[in-house]
Amino acid sequence: MKVNCHDKNYPYWFGKPMQCPATCSQSCYADCNSCKPVCVCSVPGACGDPRFVGGDGNAFYFHGRRDADFCVVSDRDLHINAHFIGKRGADGMSRDFTWIQAIAVLFDGDHRLYVGSRKTAAWDDDVDRMELALDGEPVHLPQEADVTWTSSAVPGLSITRTKEANGVLVALDGKFRIRANAVPITEEESRVHRYGVTSDDCLAHLDLAFKFDALTGDVHGVIGQTYRTDYVNRFDVKASMPTMGGESNFTTSSLFAADCAVARYAPGSHDDGVAMVSELAGVTCTSGMGGQGVVCKK
């Protein structure tokens, strides 16, 4: 897969295609600042059987529990939960294999964003399995790379397809950028790790990359705590699979509930407003379904 830099502040690299590294041939993005392609799973976020990269740059695992929800970030005006799916582990294992199937983002007091991957049997890279919704209303994006949906209800909120199918960038100006790719468990992964994938479910899940712009010093959650200035990494750096425990601290009663034991979500009032779409050269915009947003493409 090839990706492009779309930031005009970098004229030399703007629009220039970059080849994804072999280690993440279908899951990278162009970092305009460093002028190179970056693997989604090498930056702060969560991938696979969830392997997290914290805000401090260190990697660890948090296995959670299948068919359960956990808060991964909880701050004063931002809360992100993740829904875990799972598969019974191989004989002799004391836990299930787990993956993140969907996330819920609570922000600005009363807005709820859903990003998930649909269950599927046989995987096809050209068939979109992403599911998106804002405040309970589906967000529909044409299957074209670089198409952008801009919210008419939430100023500064946009969702952009990073490829024709199964990849999006969700951004809220001044708050966060979340890259989400829907990916399957391949036959080779299942064979090597003994996942036991069956023909009726390829265990489609999300690979995630986070970038936060306004976290407070009191932020918590599975990955949120790693952004605190007082966070101390107590993992054994020599361990092959450093694992974070404390599952009970991060469990929530549902995907959209901010009620984990370490919850910090207590947003203040915010001004209502309507997002305005800039008149950009070479960009065509049309109204979204139900007047809930605007879809733009280059």
Side-chain angles (χ1 to χ4, degrees):
M1 188 177 78
K2 291 184 178 181
V3 292
N4 301 297
C5 170
H6 295 300
D7 190 336
K8 292 185 178 180
N9 293 315
Y10 299 85
Y12 181 79
W13 290 103
F14 180 78
K16 186 174 182 179
M18 305 178 192
Q19 187 77 41
C20 285
T23 53
C24 57
S25 61
Q26 296 298 315
S27 187
C28 86
Y29 64 94
D31 184 334
C32 300
N33 186 53
S34 63
C35 304
K36 66 180 182 181
V38 176
C39 293
V40 169
C41 296
S42 67
V43 298
C47 292
D49 178 13
R51 174 185 177 272
F52 287 81
V53 175
D56 61 349
N58 290 304
F60 63 92
Y61 289 81
F62 176 80
H63 300 303
R65 188 174 68 256
R66 63 175 175 170
D67 302 323
D69 305 297
F70 301 90
C71 65
V72 293
V73 175
S74 189
D75 205 5
R76 182 177 56 205
D77 57 0
L78 175 66
H79 187 97
I80 303 175
N81 289 333
H83 179 72
F84 284 44
I85 57 172
K87 179 76 175 176
R88 175 60 62 183
D91 291 343
M93 286 193 61
S94 59
R95 68 170 185 88
D96 294 335
F97 294 114
T98 52
W99 299 269
I100 294 175
Q101 177 267 330
I103 60 170
V105 184
L106 287 68
F107 62 98
D108 286 354
D110 55 0
H111 292 298
R112 307 189 307 166
L113 177 70
Y114 175 88
V115 180
S117 59
R118 296 186 181 93
K119 181 178 179 179
T120 185
W123 185 264
D124 184 339
D125 285 333
D126 296 326
V127 177
D128 189 48
R129 299 295 179 182
M130 299 291 297
E131 188 171 8
L132 307 163
L134 175 65
D135 297 334
E137 295 292 328
V139 174
H140 300 289
L141 282 172
Q143 279 195 229
E144 300 176 38
D146 300 323
V147 167
T148 297
W149 174 91
T150 303
S151 173
S152 297
V154 183
L157 178 66
S158 65
I159 303 176
T160 302
R161 280 201 187 275
T162 54
K163 50 185 179 177
E164 290 185 358
N166 301 308
V168 296
L169 170 63
V170 181
L172 180 60
D173 291 347
K175 294 271 184 87
F176 60 77
R177 293 165 65 88
I178 301 173
R179 294 182 182 274
N181 290 344
V183 296
I185 295 297
T186 65
E187 291 184 5
E188 179 63 11
E189 287 175 319
S190 182
R191 183 190 67 80
V192 171
H193 299 288
R194 297 188 297 165
Y195 289 144
V197 170
T198 55
S199 60
D200 64 337
D201 187 2
C202 68
L203 296 170
H205 59 281
L206 298 179
D207 282 347
L208 300 161
F210 299 130
K211 185 178 186 303
F212 302 110
D213 300 316
L215 296 177
T216 72
D218 193 41
V219 64
H220 219 300
V222 173
I223 194 172
Q225 63 185 308
T226 66
Y227 287 86
R228 298 169 63 108
T229 56
D230 60 354
Y231 175 72
V232 178
N233 179 3
R234 294 186 172 85
F235 293 117
D236 181 356
V237 295
K238 297 180 180 179
S240 60
M241 187 179 285
T243 303
M244 179 179 290
E247 176 184 299
S248 61
N249 290 324
F250 309 112
T251 302
T252 63
S253 59
S254 68
L255 185 57
F256 284 99
D259 58 0
C260 59
V262 296
R264 302 293 195 265
Y265 191 58
S269 60
H270 63 280
D271 294 330
D272 293 328
V274 178
M276 300 300 292
V277 180
S278 302
E279 296 180 358
L280 301 176
V283 176
T284 302
C285 300
T286 57
S287 297
M289 295 183 63
Q292 295 298 311
V294 176
V295 174
C296 301
K297 61 181 179 180
K298 297 180 180 180

